[in-house]
């Protein structure tokens, strides 16, 4: 057995595990293998500032180049791990070489779900995960007239907003009857449908894409099952992501649409941990969920590092997320799913409001639009199990911060 912690995947989660291990006092070797040729970088700007040309590539890198030397972290870029042998505690690299670990952390992220229709591999049909994908889409947006976005989720909508800003004609084809259906309340879905329509995008609901048709290998039209056809010189597919959990599955680890981990990021193998988009974990409501967010990657990574250094740091904080579209900042904390009451603070017309969601009188989620103060407060309320009443939320004069001072759990 080696004395190295080996981390597979050099994204947000992989880097955070390494840094947290050093911060927690780990003295032995730390090795990160990353399939990409880049140092770990921020993905959120890929559909926001970087895509729009507002954020330079240099600002995407999560830490400066001297971090690895300073923290004695061996970083191997462009080195995909191709197998794990949990019996001999070794990994196998792309060139067949092997390396021993004492503990392994899987931080392999996720990849875009493929569109399973004819024509999905034509030229100018793209999805967005990597720096290269974003650079390609950015270049193509300069030339494209008609952009079709398949999928009205966060990535699709952020790209739609960028495409409108670049002057393209934009159609969003959404298979469900509302945008963001998997993650947001109907009120938030409606707000974003109006926002995108007001900025000139055409949104078509219940649109089941049946095939993509090309000429000389390049996409020209998108067809839907109801016989409609939409001209396109760029198609962006944003129909969700799947976990990169193949290494874990082949090694016999418990997986269920992601590597199954507990609150301390332990997998079903005592020597293997996992963090970030590649994992599935039981949340407070008991459901096994795969979260794709920076918060989830960072917190699971810190929990893994703590467990590796012999401490318990369970990740139980309420999930949070953000999205930027057309100058509007959405921040979500907790979840609105299963709410039986909702109350509004602020003004939809002014694009400045918060929606508080309760179930059986207990606060379970808060979505805010351009109200970062409410978002931070909501996270504290959720993490402390504190609930305002629906009347208190609805009354703008009621100071929700006062609930923190009392600290009385609801
Ligand atoms: C366009 C876009 C916009 C986003 N916007 C937001 C946002 O606004 N807010 C938010 O909270 N989250 C956002 N996210 C999600 C967030 O970026 C992810 O949840 C986060 O990056 C997950 O980090 P990770 O380390 O788990 O995975 P990743 O960042 O994907 O890193 C995993 C790395 O592992 C590598 N890898 C995979 N297999 C192997 C292997 N066998 N060997 C070696 N390396 C391997 C991959 O190449 C990759 O580099 C966005 C994501 C995208 C793509």
């Amino acid at each position: 057995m080696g004395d190295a912690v080996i981390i597979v995947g050099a994204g947000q989660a992989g880097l955070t595990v390494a840094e947290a291990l050093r911060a927690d006092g780990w003295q032995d070797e730390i090795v990160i293998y990353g399939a990409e040729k880049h140092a770990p970088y921020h993905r959120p700007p890929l559909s926001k500032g970087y895509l729009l040309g507002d954020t330079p590539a240099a600002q995407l890198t999560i830490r400066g180049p001297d971090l690895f030397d300073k923290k004695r972290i061996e970083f191997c870029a462009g080195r995909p791990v191709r197998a794990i042998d949990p019996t001999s505690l070794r990994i196998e690299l792309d060139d067949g070489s092997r390396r021993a670990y004492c503990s392994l952390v899987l931080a392999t992220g996720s990849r875009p779900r493929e569109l399973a229709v004819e024509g999905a591999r034509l030229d100018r049909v793209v999805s967005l995960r990597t720096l290269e994908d974003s650079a390609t889409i950015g270049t193509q947006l300069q030339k494209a007239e008609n952009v079709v976005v398949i999928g009205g989720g966060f990535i699709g909508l952020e790209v739609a907003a960028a495409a409108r800003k670049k002057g393209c004609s934009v159609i969003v084809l959404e298979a469900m009857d509302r945008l963001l259906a998997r993650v947001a309340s109907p009120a938030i879905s409606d707000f974003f449908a109006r926002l995108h329509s007001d900025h000139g995008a055409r949104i078509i609901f219940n649109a089941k894409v049946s095939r993509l048709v090309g000429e000389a290998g390049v996409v020209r039209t998108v067809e839907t099952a109801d016989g409609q056809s939409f001209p396109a010189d760029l198609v962006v597919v944003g129909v969700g992501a799947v976990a990169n959990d193949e290494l874990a599955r082949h090694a016999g680890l418990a997986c269920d649409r992601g590597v199954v981990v507990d609150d301390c990021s332990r997998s079903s193998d005592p020597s293997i941990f996992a963090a970030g988009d590649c994992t599935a974990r039981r949340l407070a409501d008991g459901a096994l969920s795969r979260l794709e967010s920076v918060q989830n990657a960072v917190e699971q990574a810190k929990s893994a590092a703590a467990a590796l250094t012999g401490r318990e740091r369970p990740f139980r904080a309420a999930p949070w997320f953000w999205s930027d579209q057309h100058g509007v900042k959405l921040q979500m904390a907790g979840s609105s799913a299963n709410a039986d009451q909702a109350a509004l603070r602020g003004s939809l017309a002014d694009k400045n409001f918060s929606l508080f969601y309760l179930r059986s009188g207990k606060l379970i989620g808060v979505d805010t639009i351009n109200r970062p103060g409410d978002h931070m407060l909501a996270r504290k309320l959720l993490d402390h199990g504190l609930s305002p009443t629906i009347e208190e939320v609805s009354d703008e004069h009621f100071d929700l911060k006062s609930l923190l001072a009392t600290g009385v759990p609801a």
Side-chain angles (χ1 to χ4, degrees), residues 377-399:
L377 175 65
R379 279 163 51 181
K380 286 187 189 143
L381 293 174
L382 288 163
D383 287 346
H384 289 93
L386 297 166
S387 295
T389 63
I390 207 82
E391 291 76 22
E392 287 168 345
V393 175
S394 309
D395 175 5
E396 276 274 12
H397 300 295
F398 180 81
D399 180 11

Side-chain angles (χ1 to χ4, degrees), residues 22-23 29 47 51 77 84-85 106 111 121 124 162 165 183 202 216 235 252 262 279 291 317 379 399:
R22 283 290 178 244
E29 270 183 282
S47 49
L51 184 60
I84 306 166
D85 179 354
L106 296 172
R111 60 181 180 275
R121 303 239 159 147
R124 312 259 164 83
K165 197 154 181 205
V183 286
R202 198 172 147 210
V235 174
D262 66 11
T279 66
L291 299 179
R379 279 163 51 181
D399 180 11

Side-chain angles (χ1 to χ4, degrees), residues 13 16-17 20 103-107 253-254 259-282 295-308 311-316:
T16 307
V17 172
S103 297
L104 185 71
V105 184
L106 296 172
L253 270 60
V259 188
V260 176
V261 292
D262 66 11
D263 287 347
C264 293
S265 308
R266 296 187 192 94
S267 77
S268 57
D269 180 304
S271 302
I272 304 180
F273 296 71
D277 281 16
C278 67
T279 66
R281 174 174 72 95
R282 275 193 203 288
Q295 176 219 16
N296 184 63
V298 167
E299 294 301 325
Q300 284 193 313
K302 288 182 178 170
S303 296
L308 281 160
R311 291 180 305 113
E312 291 275 304
R313 184 190 182 280
F315 169 32
R316 298 207 180 112

Side-chain angles (χ1 to χ4, degrees), residues 188-322:
I188 292 292
S189 299
D190 290 350
F191 174 83
F192 278 98
R194 202 162 315 120
L195 181 74
H196 283 271
S197 300
D198 287 350
H199 282 85
R202 198 172 147 210
I203 303 170
I204 300 178
F205 295 108
N206 303 306
K208 313 269 190 276
V209 172
S210 52
R211 66 172 186 153
L212 277 52
V213 182
E215 264 172 44
V218 181
V219 73
R220 284 285 172 256
T221 44
V222 178
E223 293 182 359
T224 49
D226 59 2
Q228 296 192 73
S229 154
F230 305 94
D233 35 26
L234 177 65
V235 174
V236 181
V237 180
V239 293
V242 290
N244 292 327
D245 64 358
E246 289 78 5
L247 286 178
R249 274 194 277 131
H250 292 145
L253 270 60
C255 292
D256 185 351
R257 287 160 296 132
V259 188
V260 176
V261 292
D262 66 11
D263 287 347
C264 293
S265 308
R266 296 187 192 94
S267 77
S268 57
D269 180 304
S271 302
I272 304 180
F273 296 71
D277 281 16
C278 67
T279 66
R281 174 174 72 95
R282 275 193 203 288
L283 300 186
D285 62 3
L288 193 66
S289 302
R290 199 171 67 72
L291 299 179
E292 291 164 25
S293 71
V294 170
Q295 176 219 16
N296 184 63
V298 167
E299 294 301 325
Q300 284 193 313
K302 288 182 178 170
S303 296
L308 281 160
T309 49
R311 291 180 305 113
E312 291 275 304
R313 184 190 182 280
F315 169 32
R316 298 207 180 112
W320 55 262
F321 187 81
W322 79 94

Side-chain angles (χ1 to χ4, degrees), residues 83-131:
I84 306 166
D85 179 354
T87 313
S88 67
L89 275 66
R90 279 172 206 280
I91 53 137
E92 185 180 307
L93 289 155
D94 52 338
D95 62 359
S97 61
R98 290 157 70 85
R99 189 150 177 183
Y101 61 82
C102 65
S103 297
L104 185 71
V105 184
L106 296 172
T108 47
S110 58
R111 60 181 180 275
R113 186 187 303 283
E114 285 185 22
L115 190 67
V117 299
E118 183 188 328
R121 303 239 159 147
L122 287 165
D123 253 15
R124 312 259 164 83
V125 179
V126 292
S127 55
L128 175 50
R129 181 76 199 172
T130 65
L131 213 160

